[in-house]
Amino acid sequence: MEKLARAHVLVCGGTGCSSSGSKLIIPALKEKLEARSMGSEVKVVETGCHGLCEMGPLVIVYPEGVFYVRVKPEDVDEIVENHLVKGRVVERLLYKEPATLDTVPSYDEISFYRKQKRYALANCGHINPESLEEYIGADGYEGLGKALSMKPEEVVEEIKASGLRGRGGGGFPTGLKWQFTRSAVNDKKYVICNADEGDPGAFMDRSVLEGDPHRVLEGMAICGYAVGSDEGYIYCRAEYPLAIKRLRNAIAQAEETGLLGRDILGSGFNFTIHIKEGAGAFVCGEETALMASIEGRRGMPRPRPPFPANSGLWGKPTNINNVETFANVPSIMRDGASYFASQGTETSKGTKVFALTGKINNTGLAEVPMGITMREIIYDIGGGIPDGKKFKAVQIGGPSGGCLPEQLLDLSIDYESLIKAGAMMGSGGLVVMDETTCMVDVARYFLNFTQDESCGKCTPCREGTKRMLEILNRICEGKGTEEDIPLLESLAKSIKAGSLCALGQTAPNPVLSTLNFFRDEYEAHIKEHRCPAGACTALVGYVITEACRGCGLCKKVCPVDAISGEVKSVHAIDQETCIKCGACQAKCPFKAINKG
Amino acid sequence: MGDKLAEKDFARLDEVLADLGSSKGTLIPVLQKAQDIFGYLPRDVLVHISRKTGVPLSQVFGVVTFYAQFHLEPRGRNIIRSCQGTACHVRGAKGILQEIASCLGLEGDAVTTPDLRFTLETVACIGCCGLAPVLMVNDETHGRLVPDKIKGILDQYK
């Protein structure tokens, strides 16, 4: 038996914190603790993502729950000497609220976490994702145990009663999907976990896979039991190497202990899970394309029906859900459907994980009850917009979604309300934009993405997105004409109507949504050849104002020698030569260079 | 270029094929392993895989050109993936990409440096939006980038 430690130091090993240097902190901590002969008293644990990636690397010291942010390897000495030896909290490493600059000593009091309800993410950041014991210690595999003591139909009913809906974007009722697969008659059925998280701006699935892999395996096994399947696949993006590594490790542990494999927990139920690495195609997030890819073919969608529940992988009935959906299943089974159903709104039950990114103070992952307003997410949890800039819009739902402007900030978020507002839940990526973001450029950005990722099967999607992109490029360069807006709208209609899968059907949404709320920006580009946000390079120029002291820094940094002027006198930019890279503005110590 | 491919690499490929080749749906894993061995997927390798697996060459080629992960041309020793996801886009990813290209002296459509030290690619999102803008070199992620940081990062890779 391992000796109980008097303190635990949790170091976030999620991708965000690892790339800001948490990998160096763990060995430094261990070394220092050994040097002070405290190696057995204090346990260092590498955890999954805590969600507050902006402030990484994060270090949390328990039992007190003291939350240190942006910790560097050189801070380790102080944490050990002052906190762990003398019991004094290291004030300078504590988190400060962006709005008030007050320091907050403990985890639970930070406004980023206070309004959250971490359900699917309950273990992320709190347990060691490479330890089966820690998952079981956090009530892991209890849901599977309970499910196996019930009849499969009862498990399906339980999921139906919870009101859980697909978290990958569509929002289809999960229990109903399971029932369809359950009722299909066949000797072989499959369960697939869609971990091909391709929406730019969404990374919740990655965090769950990296921070709590067993939860996903447990959810899949419960599903396998309910629908009558003995084999599962996880289709994971190859861009997520850490997630794949942790999943492999978790599968091996579960097989070794009899939580996966043959005769699970003595119930007679068999279930094995394989991992398939994706090969880099966004369209493979679409279920029929994903299955084609597992079968080793080009990942192109096919018409439905037949739905996967009747004819899926290798023609067999297949139940496919995404990572976050499966991550909700074990707790629903463990706690019963009624707890889950008591959260959220009438039609959208439970919690949803959102990825907060873009122009926002607290970037990271936040899990909140459905029905919360966008304002609460952006201002209370996200800490508002940095640098005193003004909020312009929030983009939700990735390349299939839309933008919500200021006047819709108090909208209660659920599947239906977002569709009504011309956006969609999607996978839950929220990209916040401020006054310096050009909405035409945002629409162009998404079109560029979908155009690139269109598989090419349906002509309206393949050709239509290309034409729309050309028009948007033209508008951003100031060469748009008045006919361009109606042309965009008509192309959008044809693409939506004439595409087989959701990629094409939703590809025009970012354009339609920005046209709906920010038509004036399109018109400014077209009629006045002006980009109101000052973001479209072809439409802006840089000018040096009277505030210039003639220090010459801009002249030095200009890559094309477009700036001239004598030392200590006001400089000037030759607009003909200028390539509008903005390097001079970034360098100017007197803020004397304006965009105009 | 095919004549430079090493015998021993084909022997390793045959091991992979013996291991995976017989079960269904293994074309993509076989191609992934083959690319790990050869660094890219030259024509001779595709022909070899097609002959051994019985999958028509046209189909193998179709799969290879469909997925962004597969490459028909030789690649650099270090792969830079500059993220152009939404979050990175609004936080200035375009400027980062330009800076990398100019540090590497890449012009026009070129993505690989002549000395094969680097290949520069863009990626739609590496799920690290909290640190935008980000780039990956091989399996390492670098975040909160500003153009001034790029040269220092690239210098770490030989």
Side-chain angles (χ1 to χ4, degrees):
Chain A
M1 189 74 193
E2 202 180 332
K3 199 180 145 197
L4 281 179
R6 72 168 168 93
H8 281 79
V9 183
L10 272 49
V11 181
C12 181
T15 296
C17 285
S18 306
S19 52
S20 14
S22 72
K23 269 184 243 153
L24 300 170
I25 293 174
I26 296 169
L29 261 172
K30 287 192 173 153
E31 194 180 306
K32 178 75 190 163
L33 287 168
E34 281 306 321
R36 293 292 261 132
S37 315
M38 290 163 65
S40 59
E41 278 176 53
V42 179
K43 197 171 166 195
V44 180
V45 185
E46 182 181 348
T47 68
C49 179
H50 289 271
L52 193 50
C53 311
E54 176 77 24
M55 287 291 149
L58 305 174
V59 173
I60 302 167
V61 184
Y62 279 104
E64 304 94 317
V66 173
F67 191 76
Y68 292 128
V69 299
R70 295 212 170 151
V71 178
K72 295 191 191 69
E74 21 325 352
D75 300 327
V76 163
D77 265 13
E78 207 176 331
I79 293 176
V80 173
E81 290 299 331
N82 283 341
H83 190 148
L84 295 167
V85 176
K86 297 181 188 144
R88 288 187 203 138
V89 171
V90 184
E91 292 279 339
R92 66 176 183 89
L93 293 175
L94 291 176
Y95 176 72
K96 292 185 185 64
E97 291 289 349
T100 56
L101 294 181
D102 291 340
T103 52
V104 191
S106 81
Y107 204 85
D108 322 320
E109 291 165 42
I110 294 171
S111 60
F112 179 76
Y113 292 107
R114 219 167 28 210
K115 279 213 172 175
Q116 292 197 44
K117 260 211 161 70
R118 290 169 89 87
Y119 196 71
L121 296 179
N123 290 339
C124 278
H126 293 276
I127 63 166
N128 176 352
E130 298 189 0
S131 157
L132 173 64
E133 288 75 21
E134 291 206 16
Y135 180 64
I136 291 175
D139 302 330
Y141 287 105
E142 213 181 299
L144 176 63
K146 197 168 156 196
L148 293 176
S149 69
M150 298 158 67
K151 286 196 195 121
E153 306 80 56
E154 290 169 352
V155 177
V156 172
E157 285 309 315
E158 194 73 16
I159 297 297
K160 272 165 87 178
S162 74
L164 176 64
R165 296 171 64 175
R167 296 292 192 246
F172 191 82
T174 306
L176 203 55
K177 208 180 218 182
W178 288 22
Q179 190 187 324
F180 290 153
T181 315
R182 161 131 207 98
S183 356
V185 183
N186 208 301
D187 55 336
K188 181 80 188 175
K189 294 179 190 176
Y190 292 101
V191 170
I192 297 178
C193 172
N194 183 347
D196 190 44
E197 184 173 55
D199 275 21
F203 52 101
M204 55 286 292
D205 292 351
R206 168 179 208 154
S207 287
V208 174
L209 296 171
E210 289 179 359
D212 199 7
H214 280 288
R215 179 181 290 268
V216 180
L217 304 185
E218 186 183 354
M220 287 178 73
I222 293 171
C223 175
Y225 178 71
V227 305
S229 157
D230 64 352
E231 198 173 355
Y233 282 93
I234 301 175
Y235 186 89
C236 186
R237 290 182 83 193
E239 286 89 343
Y240 288 180
L242 185 60
I244 292 172
K245 181 182 148 230
R246 297 233 165 108
L247 278 171
R248 285 195 203 286
N249 173 62
I251 291 174
Q253 288 172 340
E255 280 178 351
E256 211 169 286
T257 39
L259 291 160
L260 281 179
R262 299 201 65 80
D263 191 20
I264 295 171
L265 300 170
S267 65
F269 166 60
N270 308 324
F271 195 70
T272 51
I273 296 179
H274 315 280
I275 297 174
K276 281 273 175 181
E277 282 182 47
F282 174 71
V283 72
C284 287
E286 200 277 341
E287 56 185 17
T288 59
L290 187 153
M291 291 185 295
S293 181
I294 293 184
E295 291 172 9
R297 294 183 284 122
R298 291 166 71 97
M300 286 158 97
R302 62 159 176 79
R304 294 173 299 184
F307 285 92
N310 293 312
S311 173
L313 191 60
W314 286 299
K316 302 290 183 189
T318 302
N319 187 88
I320 173 161
N321 288 119
N322 102 317
V323 173
E324 195 188 332
T325 314
F326 279 127
N328 274 302
V329 168
S331 329
I332 292 176
M333 289 314 297
R334 192 190 64 213
D335 306 336
S338 53
Y339 176 75
F340 188 84
S342 71
Q343 304 288 319
T345 68
E346 196 47 49
T347 57
S348 306
K349 303 290 185 196
T351 55
K352 172 80 190 98
V353 185
F354 290 100
L356 294 177
T357 60
K359 306 286 182 71
I360 190 158
N361 274 314
N362 296 333
T363 53
L365 283 186
E367 182 170 356
V368 291
M370 296 273 194
I372 195 170
T373 67
M374 198 57 92
R375 191 181 297 280
E376 286 174 277
I377 297 183
I378 294 173
Y379 287 93
D380 298 347
I381 295 173
I385 318 297
D387 307 326
K389 296 255 168 58
K390 207 170 151 289
F391 170 87
K392 185 189 267 183
V394 55
Q395 211 282 342
I396 175 164
S400 311
C403 291
L404 301 179
E406 171 102 50
Q407 65 264 31
L408 288 179
L409 273 182
D410 291 311
L411 185 77
S412 136
I413 303 176
D414 61 41
Y415 289 101
E416 280 72 26
S417 68
L418 286 172
I419 297 275
K420 232 170 92 190
M424 69 182 276
M425 186 76 79
S427 48
L430 296 180
V431 184
V432 180
M433 320 199 174
D434 68 13
E435 55 193 309
T436 63
T437 316
C438 168
M439 300 315 284
V440 186
D441 179 58
V442 167
R444 175 173 72 152
Y445 166 80
F446 281 114
L447 243 285
N448 188 29
F449 178 82
T450 37
Q451 186 269 131
D452 206 38
E453 294 292 346
S454 168
C455 79
K457 185 167 182 166
C458 310
T459 315
C461 172
R462 184 183 67 236
E463 299 300 327
T465 52
K466 202 165 243 156
R467 296 290 91 79
M468 284 182 80
L469 179 63
E470 282 168 6
I471 298 169
L472 290 169
N473 278 335
R474 204 152 73 207
I475 296 175
C476 286
E477 282 163 14
K479 295 175 190 154
T481 63
E482 305 233 0
E483 292 83 60
D484 280 344
I485 294 180
L487 185 55
L488 278 174
E489 285 169 330
S490 124
L491 276 167
K493 217 188 242 171
S494 316
I495 296 170
K496 278 169 98 75
S499 302
L500 202 52
C501 81
L503 190 150
Q505 286 160 9
T506 60
N509 284 358
V511 179
L512 293 176
S513 153
T514 46
L515 267 175
N516 186 16
F517 294 117
F518 300 96
R519 203 180 193 93
D520 55 326
E521 288 199 26
Y522 281 82
E523 287 168 350
H525 282 77
I526 294 172
K527 293 182 189 155
E528 302 160 36
H529 305 290
R530 186 172 66 83
C531 174
C536 293
T537 21
L539 300 182
V540 297
Y542 289 89
V543 280
I544 300 179
T545 67
E546 288 300 311
C548 172
R549 306 266 191 90
C551 71
L553 271 179
C554 56
K555 207 159 111 183
K556 238 184 251 166
V557 77
C558 178
V560 289
D561 296 326
I563 302 178
S564 57
E566 294 301 314
V567 178
K568 290 191 178 164
S569 66
V570 177
H571 284 41
I573 302 174
D574 176 25
Q575 298 298 336
E576 290 291 300
T577 323
C578 173
I579 53 165
K580 295 159 185 169
C581 67
C584 53
Q585 191 189 33
K587 208 78 189 175
C588 178
F590 308 107
K591 294 195 168 31
I593 302 181
N594 286 344
K595 234 184 210 179
Chain B
M1 235 166 293
D3 51 352
K4 280 193 214 144
L5 301 168
E7 284 289 324
K8 66 170 180 10
D9 286 345
F10 275 102
R12 281 171 66 199
L13 178 59
D14 284 335
E15 278 170 39
V16 170
L17 285 165
D19 196 26
L20 290 170
S22 55
S23 37
K24 54 184 178 176
T26 49
L27 179 59
I28 292 172
V30 165
L31 290 167
Q32 285 169 333
K33 293 248 160 64
Q35 187 161 280
D36 285 345
I37 295 170
F38 293 93
Y40 68 113
L41 294 170
R43 186 191 159 90
D44 288 359
V45 170
L46 298 184
V47 171
H48 188 83
I49 290 173
S50 163
R51 283 200 188 128
K52 292 271 171 157
T53 57
V55 179
L57 184 59
S58 59
Q59 204 176 319
V60 175
F61 185 75
V63 168
V64 168
T65 50
F66 184 82
Y67 294 100
Q69 200 189 55
F70 297 125
H71 305 280
L72 296 164
E73 299 290 328
R75 316 221 314 133
R77 291 187 295 282
N78 300 294
I79 311 296
I80 307 169
R81 294 191 178 87
S82 171
C83 183
Q84 304 292 312
T86 327
C88 290
H89 179 77
V90 300
R91 285 204 194 176
K94 224 187 272 169
I96 301 296
L97 182 64
Q98 280 165 0
E99 178 67 19
I100 305 171
S102 95
C103 280
L104 299 180
L106 293 173
E107 281 171 17
D109 291 337
V111 293
T112 302
T113 55
D115 59 358
L116 293 188
R117 184 171 155 209
F118 286 110
T119 291
L120 171 61
E121 295 177 345
T122 60
V123 55
C125 183
I126 52 179
C128 210
C129 317
L131 302 174
V134 296
L135 65 82
M136 264 175 107
V137 184
N138 307 326
D139 276 349
E140 287 168 27
T141 315
H142 302 268
R144 298 198 189 103
L145 300 171
V146 286
D148 282 355
K149 271 192 183 171
I150 299 300
K151 195 172 173 303
I153 293 172
L154 297 183
D155 284 347
Q156 298 166 28
Y157 301 89
K158 291 296 157 205

